[in-house]
Amino acid sequence: MAKLVLSLDGDVLGYHFLEKDRFSIGRKPDNEMQIDDSSVSKEHAVILTVGNDQILEDLGSTNGTMVNGIKIKKHILQNNDVIDIGRYQLRYINQKAKPGVDPDRTVMMEPVINLRHGRKSSETPTQATDQVDAAVSVARAANDNFPLGGVKGLEGIHAGQTLELNRPLATFGKAGVQVAVINRRPHGYSITKVEGKKQPLINGQAIGEEDLPLNDGDEIEIGGEKLRFFMKQAG
C-alpha cells in the first residue's frame, strides 16, 4: 500500500497510508492529513486514487505545492517523489508505481474533475467513492457511442506509429518533465496538461491550464514528441 512519510527539516514526523480514494492534506482538522502550520492552507492539496494511478492536485493553496522542486497543479505520483507543502516534506512511497508514463495507461478524468475542489460537507467518503464508481460505469456504458480518433507519431518515440485512442484517457509525455492526457468523451476529444513547467503545444500554441478540444489534423507537441491527432471516418 502506498504511504506518505512526513518530515520537517530532515526529521521524520510520521507515516500516513493512502487507504482512501480521496486523501486530503491541509491545516483543517477534517483533512485526512492535518498539518497545523501557518505555511499550510486549510485545504492545501488532495491525492486521488484513480484506476492504477494516484494523482496529486493543489487545491489553490496560498504557498503552492511542489514535487521534486517543481511547482505543480496536477501530478501523477511516482515512487520516491518528494512533495513540498509549506515548510514540510512528504515522500511518496509506492513500490508498485511505475517510474515512467506508459502511453496506454488509462484513468477516468471525470471523477478527478468532479472531486478536485473537495467533497461537500454533507458528503461522506463513501459517497465520494460512489461518484468515481458511477462515473466509470457511465463511461463504459457510453463507450460504443464515443467518436473514435487516434494519433500518428511524427517525431519522438512514437514516430511512424499510429495509436488508436479507444479508451477514456491516454497519457503522453515524460513523467516529471511534461505530461498531458487526451480525454475521450461522448462529444469528442480534448487534451489537458497534467504536469511540467512548459505547456504542451497545439499547432504551435500553448494549451493553457484548462481542457482544450482537439480537432482533426491538430499537431501536438509534448515531452519531446510531435503527434498528429486525427478522427476516423465513419464506416
Side-chain angles (χ1 to χ4, degrees):
M1 180 181 295
K3 67 180 179 181
L4 297 172
V5 181
L6 176 65
S7 62
L8 176 64
D9 298 329
D11 295 325
V12 175
L13 304 179
Y15 301 85
H16 297 261
F17 289 94
L18 299 176
E19 299 176 311
K20 297 182 177 181
D21 289 330
R22 185 183 189 279
F23 186 93
S24 60
I25 305 166
R27 198 169 71 246
K28 290 174 63 177
D30 59 350
N31 286 288
E32 275 68 41
M33 179 189 288
Q34 182 192 14
I35 304 177
D36 190 9
D37 188 278
S38 60
S39 66
V40 179
S41 295
K42 293 179 180 179
E43 295 179 345
H44 198 107
V46 65
I47 296 174
L48 300 171
T49 299
V50 186
N52 295 322
D53 292 308
Q54 288 179 312
I55 301 173
L56 171 70
E57 182 162 4
D58 182 80
L59 296 177
S61 64
T62 301
N63 293 322
T65 301
M66 300 182 72
V67 177
N68 304 326
I70 300 173
K71 191 171 184 179
I72 61 96
K73 290 193 174 182
K74 293 185 292 289
H75 173 80
I76 300 173
L77 288 166
Q78 307 296 322
N79 188 39
N80 281 323
D81 275 350
V82 176
I83 305 164
D84 285 289
I85 291 182
R87 301 188 302 122
Y88 294 77
Q89 292 77 46
L90 301 170
R91 183 175 292 276
Y92 175 76
I93 306 295
N94 184 2
Q95 299 297 334
K96 294 182 179 180
K98 295 180 180 180
V101 175
D102 182 348
D104 198 38
R105 274 165 60 195
T106 59
V107 295
M108 290 302 304
M109 281 299 284
E110 287 295 343
V112 177
I113 294 169
N114 292 339
L115 298 176
R116 72 197 313 175
H117 298 299
R119 62 177 183 266
K120 297 177 182 177
S121 58
S122 60
E123 186 177 60
T124 68
T126 299
Q127 287 172 322
T129 301
D130 288 345
Q131 286 187 28
V132 176
D133 293 340
V136 171
S137 297
V138 168
R140 286 174 177 167
N143 191 59
D144 290 341
N145 297 321
F146 280 17
L148 190 60
V151 291
K152 182 175 182 180
L154 303 178
E155 297 177 10
I157 62 172
H158 292 109
Q161 299 180 36
T162 299
L163 305 175
E164 190 174 82
L165 301 173
N166 58 0
R167 299 187 181 183
L169 186 148
T171 307
F172 292 90
K174 186 176 181 181
V177 178
Q178 191 181 43
V179 178
V181 292
I182 295 179
N183 307 286
R184 183 182 181 212
R185 294 173 179 155
H187 56 271
Y189 288 83
S190 63
I191 187 168
T192 308
K193 174 190 171 185
V194 174
E195 63 174 304
K197 287 185 176 180
K198 293 183 178 180
Q199 297 283 356
L201 303 179
I202 301 295
N203 302 323
Q205 301 295 317
I207 69 173
E209 298 295 338
E210 302 299 326
D211 281 4
L212 182 71
L214 285 171
N215 299 308
D216 188 52
D218 280 347
E219 290 194 358
I220 305 165
E221 294 179 56
I222 173 72
E225 287 193 83
K226 182 177 284 188
L227 308 162
R228 178 177 291 119
F229 174 78
F230 64 87
M231 293 297 301
K232 286 193 170 184
Q233 298 298 320

